[in-house]
Every structure is written in structure tokens, then in C-alpha cells.
Amino acid sequence: MRRLARAFAMIPQDPARHALWFGHWCYIGGHFDFVSAEREEGSAQRDVVKQAVMDVFRLRDRDLLVANMAQINLEFHDQLLTEDDEWDVHVAFYIVNLYGQAARERLSQHPDGRWLTNEELISGTTSDGLPVNPVLTALLRRADLLRFDEME
């Protein structure tokens, strides 16, 4: 059984709409993904995911605001990608809002990142055919976190 214990950063372009989320290209996996960090014994998940975002995008503590609580915690033992692929999953999704114009510009100029729509994240493919991490897609589908409306 595969084990997944991570905290994911959901970075919205517009904190009021939650229609576009920042994903970065993962060269090892060959797909877009959210920044995430493994849960560490004795450390708060919120702090671990905040540090991961600061490290990946070279942001300062004052450049971002991480929600005090996870948007959702998922814990289950079940198939995730295929019927033969059973997982022990313990994940949390945290909303991470950028604070200040400098932080927003840094992300917008990140060479390996882009804003992904809810539809791209759920379908697992960007509008130009690039893949989204299939594990992230499966988790987002299961969590039912992303909304679709006529304004996207």
C-alpha cells in the first residue's frame, strides 16, 4: 500500500473568486502541481506548507497569508489512481493568499509556473495539453473543493 502524507498550498489568483490557482511545473514528474510538503512530526502542517511556498517561490514571511485551518483534511485508505493501486492518504489543503503586489508579481513572473483553472485541475490537463499531477487531480476530485460557475 502506498502512503501519502502531505499538506498542499492552494494559491488563488483572486482570493474572492477561487477560479485560478497557481501551479508550478514539476520536472521530475513532468506535470503541473501545487506546492506541497510532507507532514513533519512535531511541526504544524500550516507552518510546513508556508515554509515550502516561501522556499519554492523565494517569498518572505510577510509576503503571504496562510489560512489558520486547512480548507479540507482527507484521510482514507482506498484506490486513488487505479483499482489495483491502494493508498493510505493523509492530506490537507491550505489556502495561501499572496500579500502585496511584489509577491503577486514574483509568482506571475515565475518561469515554471502558471495559473490553472478549476477545469484544468479536475480534468488533469491544461488547455494546451500539458499534464497536471494525476494524484493532485484525484485528490481534488475526491475533496470536491473546486467550484465551477459561469464566471470562469
Side-chain angles (χ1 to χ4, degrees):
M1 180 181 311
R2 298 179 74 176
R3 179 166 169 75
L4 179 64
R6 299 193 74 75
F8 290 88
M10 298 180 70
I11 305 170
Q13 184 182 50
D14 178 351
R17 290 203 51 234
H18 291 182
L20 293 171
W21 304 92
F22 199 78
H24 70 99
W25 184 256
C26 177
Y27 286 95
I28 293 171
H31 53 241
F32 282 99
D33 206 348
F34 286 166
V35 171
S36 65
E38 275 194 50
R39 290 181 167 181
E40 296 178 6
E41 195 65 38
S43 295
Q45 286 184 100
R46 179 185 179 276
D47 296 338
V48 172
V49 79
K50 182 177 186 175
Q51 188 62 52
V53 171
M54 290 189 314
D55 291 348
V56 169
F57 301 121
R58 296 184 182 153
L59 296 171
R60 299 165 298 182
D61 182 61
R62 66 181 185 212
D63 291 331
L64 49 104
L65 300 169
V66 180
N68 287 329
M69 295 176 56
Q71 187 74 6
I72 192 168
N73 289 295
L74 290 178
E75 294 191 13
F76 62 90
H77 307 281
D78 201 355
Q79 287 98 16
L80 189 61
L81 299 175
T82 68
E83 290 181 22
D84 299 329
D85 192 21
E86 195 160 319
W87 291 67
D88 177 25
V89 175
H90 303 269
V91 297
F93 288 90
Y94 283 86
I95 301 291
V96 178
N97 288 308
L98 302 174
Y99 186 72
Q101 187 61 31
R104 285 188 284 280
E105 286 177 13
R106 182 164 297 226
L107 246 63
S108 291
Q109 296 171 0
H110 194 279
D112 296 325
R114 70 196 271 183
W115 297 104
L116 302 170
T117 66
N118 291 341
E119 184 177 86
E120 290 172 319
L121 289 164
I122 294 300
S123 73
T125 306
T126 64
S127 60
D128 55 352
L130 295 172
V132 174
N133 180 351
V135 172
L136 176 64
T137 293
L139 291 169
L140 289 170
R141 285 179 185 162
R142 186 173 187 120
D144 196 26
L145 279 174
L146 304 179
R147 66 177 190 236
F148 298 89
D149 56 45
E150 63 280 352
M151 299 201 58
E152 287 186 47

